[in-house]
Amino acid sequence: MSRLPDRTLLTRCEIFVYFGVYIVYIVVGLYKIYGLRDHIAKEAKFQFPEGWSFYPLSQRHRDDSNDELENFGDFIVSFWPFYLLHAGVQGVIRWKCPRLQCLGFIGVCALALSVNLDWSSMVLLGTLIVSYYLVSLLTLKYLVWLLSAGWILCINVMQKNGWWTNRVGYTEYVLMIVTMSWSVLRGCSYSLSRMGAKQEDLRRYSLIQYLGYAMYFPCLTYGPIISYQRFAARRDDEKQNWLGFVGGVLRSAIWWLVMQCALHYFYIHYMSRDVRMVEMMDSVFWQHSAGYFMGQFFFLYYAVTYGLGIAFAVQDGIPAPNRPRCIGRIHFYSDMWKYFDEGLYEFLFQNIYAELCSKRSSAAAKFGATAWTFAFVFVWHGCYTYVLIWSILNFLCLAAEKVFKTFTSMPEYQRWTQRHLGAVGAQRLYAMLATQLFIPAAFSNVYFIGGQEIGDFLMRGAYLSGVGNYLALCFCSYCFFQCSELLLTKSDGRSKSKTY
């Protein structure tokens, strides 16, 4: 019962209603956000910059309130020559001498960092990278986690150190915080993987291989995290697909352009920072759409940044994780973790969750392992209140989903629903019950995207704005759930047909 057994269970008319409600709600919600653009520009706490210099964007102001997006743009402006250099160097190396691939990775990254970073930043990042290689030689896993705790503590101290920030400047400060955070995961992945490797496989864990992994420039700062197992499994003797590579880079560039153009008309990033702007929407019912589009613009950012790194990794023969899946196609929160950031999910599952429990472990052990996993997620993302709330809600939603799926997979439940409701009715009941998990899971992400104030506001709007509002929210969410389920069933069907 976890998936639609047959799409023909639902009539075409019913499917039309589901997709009709989904599309109408999105379109109307987006139009209402568009209608607030001038009000937001007037009421904003700071002045938006002028739009791009060509018509019609020149007539508008651009929402620049998303620091991560702005920092990524600054990073590309400074480092784009090194992306080109990386592609060129790897093209020559894989053509003439593939065994030098890791040396090429190290050389380009070292050049890029030495040209753009202060010496203190270079020393700090170098110390972090070397420390994980040294600790991997000791074969004691708890030392890896102690080292990681020390580096995460160091990163949190650096975030509050005004002297160092003033020395290197805000741009380099952000670059270092983000790069070091990703480097902690890469160091953990290498060290823990090496400790679990067989004696005959240790040649894959040489210092040069590790430095090539830790200093892989296209994924160094903006991800995604690629496990060392994936990196070590790369095929440097395969012919490079330059057309596919250019297509992948252009795909990220096009989505970046789409997002930048949209931010001239939809000030959704500022809305995620100022709850007063969300309050300006017509009703609580339409305020929910602001949360939806906060999530969609969040997805677009990672589609751009991860997509760029993945395009380079695939070109270099690395079996990279898949690109983030659109949140509009995700209706169970476990799928959000599995398919939105596949690399991070693999890291958490392999190195934390699977180390603490197995398939045969008790439910209590599995819940405990999940709790420890999200404790790491909280600490790694930064010890902020909104991150804590997001992490706790993530844990509770996943735990509730596990209980729900266990209950609905029980033979007694399936026999009862089939006998009293039939196949179609059973599927509808399943979707209605699952919707009650979908709603809090969806709103929990707003805490991470926009912070505690906007998260509290939308959560109160969902649950404390009257029965009528909640029933309308449940109906729309039910339609969203059914649409996502249908799309997933169709996608699974295509995958099976390709397999055959």
Side-chain angles (χ1 to χ4, degrees), residues 66-84:
N66 186 306
D67 291 338
E68 289 184 337
L69 181 60
E70 298 302 310
N71 291 332
F72 173 71
D74 294 339
F75 179 85
I76 294 298
V77 169
S78 299
F79 286 90
W80 68 265
F82 300 99
Y83 280 99
L84 295 180

Side-chain angles (χ1 to χ4, degrees), residues 5 45 51 82 84 101 114 130 150 186 236 239 247 266 275 290 298 337 344 381 392 429 447 458 480 485 497 499:
K45 296 177 181 178
F82 300 99
L84 295 180
Q101 188 177 37
S114 62
V130 171
R186 284 188 285 266
D236 53 16
K239 184 178 180 181
F266 307 101
V275 72
F298 181 79
W337 276 100
L344 181 59
H381 276 98
I392 292 173
L429 176 63
Y447 282 94
L458 291 180
F480 294 176
E485 187 82 348
S497 64
T499 302

Side-chain angles (χ1 to χ4, degrees), residues 47-53 57-64 264:
Q47 183 69 37
F48 293 153
E50 294 293 331
W52 287 353
S53 59
L57 302 182
S58 59
Q59 308 299 310
R60 306 294 315 164
H61 289 86
R62 183 177 66 86
D63 182 358
D64 66 339
H264 286 74

Side-chain angles (χ1 to χ4, degrees), residues 98-203:
R99 62 187 178 85
L100 298 179
Q101 188 177 37
C102 281
L103 289 176
F105 294 159
I106 297 168
V108 172
C109 184
L111 179 62
L113 296 181
S114 62
V115 168
N116 289 278
L117 298 187
D118 183 77
W119 68 267
S120 60
S121 299
M122 293 284 291
V123 170
L124 197 59
L125 184 58
T127 303
L128 186 155
I129 291 173
V130 171
S131 67
Y132 276 101
Y133 180 76
L134 295 176
V135 81
S136 72
L137 303 177
L138 302 177
T139 68
L140 296 173
K141 291 185 176 181
Y142 76 89
L143 291 180
V144 177
W145 294 113
L146 285 177
L147 178 64
S148 300
W151 279 115
I152 291 174
L153 177 62
C154 175
I155 292 169
N156 279 276
V157 170
M158 288 169 59
Q159 288 178 308
K160 299 173 176 61
N161 190 317
W163 173 84
W164 184 74
T165 304
N166 293 333
R167 172 185 173 81
V168 301
Y170 178 75
T171 300
E172 184 170 329
Y173 153 79
V174 171
L175 186 152
M176 280 297 298
I177 294 297
V178 175
T179 302
M180 290 179 67
S181 297
W182 283 118
S183 295
V184 167
L185 299 190
R186 284 188 285 266
C188 281
S189 180
Y190 170 81
S191 300
L192 296 173
S193 178
R194 189 181 194 278
M195 291 176 183
K198 298 178 181 178
Q199 187 67 32
E200 58 268 24
D201 293 332
L202 288 180
R203 60 181 180 80

